[in-house]
Amino acid sequence: MLPYVILVEPQMAENVGMAARAMMNCGLENMRLVRPREDHLSDKALAASSGAGEILHNAQVFASVREAIADLNWVAATTARHRDQTKTVMNADHAAEQMCELTASGNKCGIMFGPERTGLRNEDVCLADVIINVPLNPKHCSLNLSQAVLLVGYEFYKTQIEIPRAQLVTNHTVPAEKEKVLLFCNYLEDKLDDCGNFKIGEKREKMIINLRNIFTRGQMTEQELNTLYGVVNHLSKKK
Amino acid sequence: MLPYVILVEPQMAENVGMAARAMMNCGLENMRLVRPREDHLSDKALAASSGAGEILHNAQVFASVREAIADLNWVAATTARHRDQTKTVMNADHAAEQMCELTASGNKCGIMFGPERTGLRNEDVCLADVIINVPLNPKHCSLNLSQAVLLVGYEFYKTQIEIPRAQLVTNHTVPAEKEKVLLFCNYLEDKLDDCGNFKIGEKREKMIINLRNIFTRGQMTEQELNTLYGVVNHLSKKK
């Protein structure tokens, strides 16, 4: 069961719509609204949701925070301001990992977001298991509602997927085997010998090392090696 | 030196303002604009920046991507769509760690964001060292401009309390500024034109992009560029 996004007394329908869009960006589906001031199914809200209208249509509306969290097992309160409450404050990434584990073991989790201007009331914050604090510039940490939903949702989404942190995308070609890279290096070095580039013997060895570093550092693909063969051939052809 | 946020041909002044706000949320200060369609100091932009007007006032405006990245050492291109280019694709968190390490060792880094509707052009993407991909729901991954800036900036902000883990060791030389790399690319391309490598016109553009990807991906040093000039000169000299 994915975490519930609980918007407490949101003021603007557009913000509810944009929050729905941010939820969909992050693979979240379950929206709960506590006393929304405007109609969350208005044209403004649906337009702002930019394709996430289904989340708005399925949103559940409650008269109080208490009712909105009644069936949940774990609730987090998002807040930027310091609260004079004895409560665990978690960074968004740590909270996301915790929700990932909790939901995986069958818990229903919720994340509360307060009204745009004022944030959550202290009496709502005290109902939460933890406070989520999104680490941001302390001199300028005010976020709009949808951005707060986006950052917390993004951290949760990252816990749900396994993707390489970085990879060379090569499309239809493949990274060349080392022998092929070195054959190209040899080819280039021979051409350079031919045209007298290595006249000064002591520089030859150092330059070969420099050149090989250039062509190994970027993990050449087979297609790129072919391109480079063509370049060397064309540059070196007799006029 | 904090990373530069480079907005390429942003369409709406409000979006530039909101991007400035997101930057300030994340402790980023340096905004560069390439051919913005609207005035980034308009009332609309300043209102949307919500207190981050200083970033807008200090923003530098450029006529081209090339000029906007000329003095940078490392550039990332943000893109959601798949690109048919051989390039390292990094998650935002991994890219943030890399920028943290690079900036800590004196490099000037930049992150490019494309126009709202279309994203970056392929010829702009190929100038970047890496592609940043923000992991989001593949069925609904479109973000507005300021949200993209926010997520990438947020990941960078999180690294500012971390320690560098890896860096390109360059000893007595330094990573070349982009303009120097591009001047070398131009030099090579001219030589290839001279020797007839680009006879088939339609292949010319694609091959230039392939070549630039080769020479941007490995973060060339100044010394290596000198080596490559020598290589091209020797290969292309008349026999």
Side-chain angles (χ1 to χ4, degrees), chain A residues 18 20-28 49-52 91-93 134-144 146-148 150-151 154-155 157-158 161 163-173 188 191-192 194-199 206-207 210-211 213-215 217-221 223-225 227-228 230-232 234-239, chain B residues 18 21-27 49-52 82-95 97 134-144 146-148 150-151 154-155 157-158 161 165 168 172 188 191-192 194-197 199 207 210-211 213-215 217-221 223-225 227-228 230-232 234-239:
Chain A
M18 287 193 290
R21 177 185 179 181
M23 286 173 61
M24 188 165 271
N25 284 145
C26 303
L28 296 174
S49 79
S50 187
N91 283 347
D93 49 4
V134 180
L136 290 171
N137 181 2
K139 291 180 197 140
H140 196 88
C141 58
S142 92
L143 290 173
N144 73 35
S146 68
Q147 286 176 316
L150 179 70
L151 288 179
Y154 165 71
E155 289 287 10
Y157 186 75
K158 285 202 294 179
I161 46 168
I163 34 170
R165 297 208 326 140
Q167 69 180 127
L168 182 64
V169 173
T170 57
N171 300 308
H172 48 281
T173 181
L188 174 61
K191 289 282 185 187
L192 290 169
D194 282 352
C195 65
N197 189 53
F198 290 146
K199 268 175 304 194
K206 179 65 178 161
M207 185 187 255
N210 286 348
L211 282 172
N213 274 325
I214 289 171
F215 294 113
R217 205 161 71 229
Q219 212 189 5
M220 295 291 122
T221 67
Q223 186 194 56
E224 287 172 335
L225 285 182
T227 300
L228 288 172
V231 165
V232 171
H234 276 86
L235 287 171
S236 64
K237 79 176 169 194
K238 296 187 173 53
K239 299 263 169 71
Chain B
M18 287 194 289
R21 178 185 180 181
M23 286 173 62
M24 187 164 272
N25 284 145
C26 302
S49 80
S50 187
H82 176 73
R83 305 291 183 144
D84 184 23
Q85 297 196 31
T86 304
K87 182 84 84 187
T88 301
V89 177
M90 285 187 180
N91 285 345
D93 50 3
H94 189 65
E97 284 165 23
V134 179
L136 290 170
N137 181 1
K139 290 181 199 141
H140 196 88
C141 59
S142 91
L143 290 173
N144 73 36
S146 68
Q147 286 176 317
L150 180 70
L151 288 179
Y154 164 72
E155 288 288 9
Y157 188 77
K158 286 202 294 178
I161 48 170
R165 284 191 313 158
L168 181 66
H172 49 281
L188 174 60
K191 289 283 187 190
L192 289 170
D194 280 354
C195 67
N197 189 51
K199 270 175 303 195
M207 184 187 258
N210 287 347
L211 283 172
N213 275 325
I214 289 171
F215 294 111
R217 206 162 69 226
Q219 210 191 7
M220 296 290 122
T221 68
Q223 186 194 56
E224 288 171 333
L225 285 182
T227 300
L228 288 172
V231 165
V232 172
H234 276 87
L235 286 172
S236 63
K237 79 178 169 192
K238 297 189 173 51
K239 300 259 168 77

Side-chain angles (χ1 to χ4, degrees), chain B residues 20-93:
Chain B
R21 178 185 180 181
M23 286 173 62
M24 187 164 272
N25 284 145
C26 302
L28 297 174
E29 297 167 356
N30 308 314
M31 176 182 272
R32 291 183 169 183
L33 301 169
V34 178
R35 291 189 299 274
R37 198 181 64 180
E38 298 186 341
D39 178 12
H40 66 285
L41 295 173
S42 67
D43 290 346
K44 280 193 301 186
L46 289 165
S49 80
S50 187
E54 196 181 337
I55 289 176
L56 294 175
H57 282 291
N58 292 335
Q60 299 168 282
V61 179
F62 296 86
S64 68
V65 167
R66 181 174 181 152
E67 291 162 85
I69 66 170
D71 61 333
L72 305 184
N73 309 108
W74 189 92
V75 175
T78 56
T79 154
R81 286 185 293 124
H82 176 73
R83 305 291 183 144
D84 184 23
Q85 297 196 31
T86 304
K87 182 84 84 187
T88 301
V89 177
M90 285 187 180
N91 285 345
D93 50 3

